[in-house]
Amino acid sequence: MMMRNSLLTVLGSVMLLGTALPAQAESVLRVGLGADPDMLDPHLARTYYGRFVFASLCDRLVDVDENLKVVPGLAKAWSWSEDGKTLTMDLREGVTFHDGEKFDAAAAKFSLDRALTLPGSLRKSEISSIESVEVSGPLQIKLHLKTPDSALLMQLTDRAGAMLAPVAAKKADFAAHPVCSGPYKFDSRVSQDRIVLSRFDNYWNKGAYHFDKVIYLPIPDASVRLANLRAGDLDLTEGIAASDVKTVQADNKLQLAKVTGLGYQGITFNINNGNVPVNDPFKDARVREAFSLAIDRDALNQVVFEGLYAPANQAFSPVSPYHVKLPVPPRDVEKAKALLQAAGVKTPITVSLLVPNNPTSQQVGQVLQAMTAEAGFNVNLQMTEFATLLDRQQSGNFQLSYSGWSGRPDPDGSIFGFINSKGTLNDGRYSNPQVDEWLTQARLHNDPATRQALYEKVVKQLQTDMPIAYLYFEPRLFGMNKKVQGFKPYPDGIVRLAGLSLAN
């Protein structure tokens, strides 16, 4: 911690001094992150904390407000055809990318086409309903869809709708030198230490942003992040630990903001990704269900999260109108043992569980280890850096993995990519044709009641299939210096910098 404080002090001094001291020192906002983001390419990235950086770096076609309503971004207006298969978007004029390239309809088409065709793109399944993108005017595009897609507009509020500078995005090293059109441009990155963004002077809405530089500092340990916040070496941080909430509230130099989140955490089972042995017990849904039944989610919440988190059995947070009112099954060790016996599994069964290398996740892992042992699971915890954990999940180099999702306002964004057999985030390679059909049908309908009924079928089916053992829903807890003004917490947990300032 002392080393981190020293680094931040030196860095802050360098930022303030510069090469020639100006009349007024640079204004710098220092934001603590719970993990180092993965690659800074919106089409290939998958970490929650990367979205913090993208929110300042890359404008999207549309955005959401604090009430999760879609609002204009680089698209100032949009309309749907009567059959729901064409989305027309009128684009904002006078926008340039950080490298000076002009943003127009051709650039928007390039970004969307890239999201659909780039090898390894994690956005493909999010916007897979798009058949083609037409440049219908200098500042107008038409998205022609294969089928109606009620989730598409909301998908475009996130990384799938990020607009990238075409010339820069064609380069092989784009992720190391990202170029977008947001209020801040990429300055530098030191892996596991910091990401620095600088004000973009030609931004179309420059007046809403008040910092010359924004420094994102990955600090996995929540207690260390809080120590840095209390010492004045951070201005703002997401991910205040539940056990530290009272400490923040009692500190007269700090303030706490919280909002019910959209995200969940769970255990992903590797069913068929990579070289999964033919006799791997977790190929059997009964074994997966047994593991889930061995977990007391209420006790986990009390022991690790001070009772502030809500136990989960699905991807849809209670804040979502699509949350399925289905009781979370209580712990049932005897039923878990019976399921293992029915599956022909001899206990104890040795299990490898990937866990992010931060104290809170380690504590969760240890609680799960103790609980599941009573049902006959011998869990080995494999602690690893979070981006590495995601890489291993994606490549299939895991058996079980403790990870989650930050959630999306539209339910499709929280489940389709993870559960559909062709979903780009389906790291366990779960496949159920009936579930695929229900998920696809939910995209085709705009009527909330019809969609709700379909998602209810999916959620109930997943209680048996158990590709993911959902554990809990996360509130979003932010700590900040009392000098920070204008902060609004969003249910998606992302820090937006518009209107944010530091009092003198």
Side-chain angles (χ1 to χ4, degrees):
M1 186 175 74
M2 293 179 64
M3 181 178 293
R4 164 64 70 179
N5 288 342
S6 299
L7 283 172
L8 288 174
T9 302
V10 172
L11 180 60
S13 301
V14 172
M15 292 294 179
L16 292 173
L17 289 173
T19 53
L21 194 65
Q24 185 174 346
E26 283 187 315
S27 57
V28 180
L29 181 74
R30 298 156 300 176
V31 181
L33 302 180
D36 195 32
D38 58 348
M39 61 187 71
L40 295 180
D41 182 333
H43 297 157
L44 299 174
R46 63 180 294 169
T47 60
Y48 167 54
Y49 291 106
R51 297 172 68 216
F52 281 63
V53 180
F54 291 134
S56 302
L57 183 68
C58 302
D59 276 347
R60 280 84 59 211
L61 287 170
V62 281
D63 202 352
V64 293
D65 63 14
E66 61 267 35
N67 298 312
L68 300 178
K69 301 296 184 183
V70 179
V71 296
L74 291 185
K76 60 183 182 180
W78 54 89
S79 60
W80 287 97
S81 62
E82 286 190 16
D83 64 1
K85 294 178 65 175
T86 299
L87 174 61
T88 301
M89 309 191 88
D90 296 319
L91 307 178
R92 196 174 297 279
E93 61 278 356
V95 176
T96 57
F97 291 104
H98 300 150
D99 60 359
E101 191 174 358
K102 181 181 178 181
F103 170 74
D104 56 14
K109 172 179 168 57
F110 169 84
S111 288
L112 292 170
D113 285 346
R114 184 179 185 269
L116 286 166
T117 62
L118 182 71
S121 171
L122 296 174
R123 311 284 81 85
K124 286 180 184 179
S125 64
E126 295 174 356
I127 57 174
S128 60
S129 60
I130 298 177
E131 185 169 50
S132 65
V133 180
E134 174 192 354
V135 174
S136 50
L139 290 170
Q140 187 184 79
I141 56 173
K142 291 181 184 291
L143 278 57
H144 299 292
L145 311 187
K146 303 167 189 172
T147 59
D149 184 355
S150 57
L152 178 62
L153 193 62
M154 194 61 79
Q155 293 287 15
L156 297 177
T157 68
D158 209 290
R159 290 168 292 198
M163 295 292 100
L164 318 183
V167 171
K170 292 174 184 175
K171 298 178 180 177
D173 65 345
F174 179 77
H177 302 280
V179 181
C180 295
S181 66
Y184 293 91
K185 60 184 180 180
F186 181 77
D187 186 314
S188 62
R189 179 177 193 176
V190 178
S191 181
Q192 304 296 326
D193 184 73
R194 66 186 182 273
I195 296 172
V196 182
L197 305 184
S198 300
R199 181 197 296 273
F200 179 42
D201 290 329
N202 292 324
Y203 186 59
W204 61 272
N205 191 25
K206 180 181 175 182
Y209 297 86
H210 307 298
F211 301 102
D212 297 310
K213 287 188 183 293
V214 182
I215 305 173
Y216 295 95
L217 297 147
I219 309 173
D221 191 322
S223 63
V224 177
R225 285 200 306 279
L226 177 58
N228 277 272
L229 182 66
R230 299 186 77 182
D233 293 321
L234 290 176
D235 301 303
L236 186 156
T237 183
E238 188 273 344
I240 292 294
S243 57
D244 291 330
V245 167
K246 292 179 181 178
T247 300
V248 174
Q249 292 173 326
D251 192 320
N252 59 15
K253 294 181 180 179
L254 303 181
Q255 54 184 321
L256 181 80
K258 58 184 177 180
V259 66
T260 301
L262 293 168
Y264 66 81
Q265 287 287 326
I267 303 295
T268 296
F269 299 98
N270 188 355
I271 301 169
N272 197 33
N273 185 5
N275 297 317
V276 181
V278 175
N279 60 347
D280 188 287
F282 289 99
K283 283 181 172 289
D284 192 319
R286 292 171 294 185
V287 179
R288 303 194 294 269
E289 185 181 359
F291 191 89
S292 180
L293 282 170
I295 300 168
D296 187 331
R297 289 159 172 79
D298 287 312
L300 176 67
N301 176 35
Q302 295 299 328
V303 170
V304 183
F305 302 114
E306 306 282 326
L308 295 176
Y309 287 28
N313 62 347
Q314 60 186 283
F316 308 134
S317 160
V319 76
S320 169
Y322 292 90
H323 177 76
V324 178
K325 294 181 180 179
L326 186 69
V328 176
R331 187 185 191 218
D332 192 335
V333 173
E334 293 309 311
K335 184 177 179 180
K337 290 179 178 178
L339 284 168
L340 291 177
Q341 185 176 8
V345 174
K346 294 182 179 180
T347 56
I349 172 178
T350 299
V351 178
S352 295
L353 173 63
L354 290 181
V355 179
N357 64 342
N358 64 71
T360 300
S361 295
Q362 183 176 7
Q363 189 178 4
V364 170
Q366 290 169 343
V367 171
L368 296 179
Q369 189 179 49
M371 288 179 174
T372 57
E374 293 182 31
F377 293 96
N378 177 25
V379 177
N380 293 324
L381 303 180
Q382 298 182 339
M383 307 299 296
T384 184
E385 193 271 325
F386 187 58
T388 302
L389 178 147
L390 292 179
D391 285 341
R392 289 186 60 178
Q393 270 193 203
Q394 194 169 353
S395 65
N397 183 19
F398 76 104
Q399 187 176 27
L400 278 68
S401 183
Y402 167 63
S403 62
W405 186 241
S406 51
R408 297 294 182 272
D410 188 275
D412 181 89
S414 291
I415 198 167
F416 189 97
F418 298 89
I419 298 302
N420 186 276
S421 58
K422 295 182 179 178
T424 50
L425 298 170
N426 185 356
D427 293 331
R429 298 296 189 268
Y430 164 73
S431 180
N432 182 325
Q434 179 61 76
V435 170
D436 285 354
E437 177 64 19
W438 287 331
L439 291 173
T440 300
Q441 286 297 317
R443 281 184 164 185
L444 300 179
H445 295 280
N446 286 316
D447 176 53
T450 301
R451 298 185 79 200
Q452 172 70 39
L454 288 163
Y455 285 126
E456 184 170 337
K457 290 180 178 180
V458 172
V459 168
K460 288 181 177 178
Q461 183 63 45
L462 296 184
Q463 304 306 302
T464 301
D465 293 355
M466 200 61 64
I468 299 173
Y470 300 98
L471 297 176
Y472 56 83
F473 298 112
E474 301 175 281
R476 297 302 177 193
L477 303 170
F478 303 87
M480 66 200 83
N481 191 296
K482 280 197 172 175
K483 292 182 178 180
V484 175
Q485 299 181 338
F487 178 78
K488 293 180 181 180
Y490 284 62
D492 64 5
I494 306 304
V495 172
R496 270 85 168 174
L497 300 184
L500 205 64
S501 63
L502 284 175
N504 294 326

